[in-house]
Amino acid sequence: MKNGFSRRRFAQSVLAGAALLPAAPPSWAAGNKWSATGMKLGVGGQRSEMLTDDHLNYLKQMGVEYLEVSVVAAQSGYDNLVAIKRKVESAGLKLNNIIVDTYNSPEFTLGLPGRDKEIAFFQNFLKDLGKAGVDTTTYAWDMLGPGGSTGRTTTRGCDTRLFEYGQVSQKPGEGERAHTEEEMWANYEYFIRKVLPVAEAAKVRLQLHPNDPPVDYMGVARIFKSRQAFRRVLEIANYSPYSGLLLCVGCWSEMLGPDGKGEDIVEAIHEFGSRGHIFTVHYRNVSSPAVPNFHETFPDGGYTNMYKIMRALGEVHYNGMLSIRP
């Protein structure tokens, strides 16, 4: 690369909250009382079939240290989990977490017939993760609507997702019914009270991803769309160290907040991070809160100040994975 920068240094520069790392710390950094030291540069969205030698070597060359890997239910057994872990570690990388594709099953999120069967499957998955030495997994109460997108747009020449609230139906589909906030919370409590004890016994941390986008869809209330909602999550779990947040900065930036202008993410980081309940961070940015419209941006192109986010993470001594796209 030009100016003496390698691809590895470019990726690692994200952890400095700057565009590129100079050869020596800049003068304005003197006296800072926070540090990104300890954060692990990682990537999410890595399907198990992507883990070829060439791909893993590419990620390592980019400076990636940790991976989030997803598997389909049929490949989520103990033997496959061990094989994935060995494959990643043999490439000189580490696993941050493994996600199974039923992590947001409609059966348990909507309380449909068969939810106990799906919960039992997830419980067994947690046990296998623990035996395989994988200490974190993700779950969500989401992806029940448009998958976070109503279209595509172009940002700096790249295809990025677009969300337009006016394009989202608020009525249940034919043959479907509405699901209220109270019902969704009851479904969540039913799930977590059965799953969390298994996670604790297996020593596997459960990290909850926010709703994306944080708006209701086709009569389904999306409940994980505010700072107050995540307070309730931790209260339900009695602040167990095995119950926490996957802090997707992009999704938090989509939240409307109490005044409709967005949540105070820096304050949320101090609140939840100071107690050790932020397990993973997705370092993303968007153009505005979800209503009426937003689109995905590069980290430095959205309305959220990502330097302040990085600084807040450093101030609470966050030392988990910071996920970016390579």
Side-chain angles (χ1 to χ4, degrees):
M1 294 181 66
K2 295 180 180 180
N3 301 323
F5 286 104
S6 67
R7 289 184 298 172
R8 178 187 296 272
R9 288 192 65 198
F10 180 81
Q12 289 172 334
S13 70
V14 175
L15 296 181
L20 291 172
L21 282 177
S27 59
W28 51 260
N32 276 0
K33 295 182 180 179
W34 69 277
S35 172
T37 300
M39 297 186 204
K40 288 85 173 177
L41 188 66
V43 292
Q46 304 299 294
R47 301 184 306 277
S48 58
E49 63 269 22
M50 294 170 61
L51 304 181
T52 64
D53 292 341
D54 285 346
H55 183 65
L56 292 173
N57 186 53
Y58 160 73
L59 293 177
K60 189 174 180 181
Q61 288 177 336
M62 286 293 292
V64 170
E65 301 168 277
Y66 279 69
L67 301 184
E68 171 191 273
V69 177
S70 60
V71 297
V72 298
Q75 298 175 346
S76 63
Y78 170 76
D79 290 340
N80 280 326
L81 297 177
V82 170
I84 288 171
K85 187 170 186 287
R86 287 175 178 168
K87 180 74 171 178
V88 170
E89 291 180 348
S90 67
L93 300 166
K94 294 184 180 180
L95 268 177
N96 178 71
N97 70 101
I98 296 181
I99 307 172
V100 65
D101 64 349
T102 57
Y103 74 115
N104 54 0
S105 165
E107 283 77 15
F108 56 68
T109 56
L110 296 180
L112 302 178
R115 74 169 170 180
D116 285 334
K117 180 180 179 181
E118 288 295 325
I119 288 174
F121 173 85
F122 198 78
Q123 289 171 324
N124 287 330
F125 174 63
L126 292 173
K127 294 174 184 177
D128 285 341
L129 282 175
K131 288 191 294 183
V134 181
D135 67 3
T136 307
T137 192
T138 304
Y139 70 109
W141 236 244
D142 206 355
M143 306 307 177
L144 307 173
S149 174
T150 60
R152 310 296 296 180
T153 189
T154 301
T155 303
R156 295 187 190 170
C158 293
D159 183 49
T160 58
R161 72 183 180 119
L162 169 70
F163 178 81
E164 297 172 296
Y165 184 70
Q167 301 298 314
V168 175
S169 173
Q170 297 300 316
K171 296 181 180 180
E174 185 177 352
E176 301 295 332
R177 66 174 181 84
H179 296 265
T180 65
E181 285 202 13
E182 291 76 13
E183 182 181 1
M184 296 298 281
W185 275 110
N187 292 341
Y188 176 73
E189 291 199 34
Y190 184 90
F191 169 84
I192 203 67
R193 295 194 191 285
K194 288 182 174 291
V195 166
L196 182 57
V198 178
E200 291 174 330
K203 299 189 184 306
V204 175
R205 302 185 303 173
L206 296 168
Q207 55 181 10
L208 175 61
H209 194 287
N211 291 144
D212 186 14
V215 296
D216 298 349
Y217 177 73
M218 295 188 70
V220 177
R222 303 210 184 188
I223 56 177
F224 300 118
K225 57 186 179 183
S226 68
R227 185 174 167 191
Q228 182 59 41
F230 282 92
R231 288 174 179 154
R232 184 170 175 178
V233 166
L234 298 182
E235 288 170 1
I236 290 171
N238 197 28
Y239 300 96
S240 168
Y242 292 94
S243 173
L245 286 62
L246 192 168
L247 183 79
C248 178
V249 179
C251 294
W252 275 79
S253 299
E254 296 163 18
M255 294 178 186
L256 300 181
D259 60 0
K261 297 180 180 179
E263 283 283 3
D264 191 325
I265 309 174
V266 168
E267 285 192 7
I269 289 171
H270 280 103
E271 177 179 350
F272 301 126
S274 62
R275 301 186 67 150
H277 286 292
I278 297 176
F279 297 162
T280 300
V281 174
H282 285 174
Y283 202 68
R284 297 174 45 237
N285 207 348
V286 298
S287 59
S288 67
V291 178
N293 307 317
F294 76 85
H295 65 269
E296 196 99 31
T297 73
F298 285 86
D300 63 341
Y303 87 99
T304 296
N305 186 319
M306 301 301 282
Y307 171 79
K308 290 183 178 179
I309 299 300
M310 182 66 69
R311 182 184 181 109
L313 291 168
E315 287 171 343
V316 299
H317 307 294
Y318 173 73
N319 63 358
M321 184 178 89
L322 191 86
S323 176
I324 61 170
R325 293 292 181 182

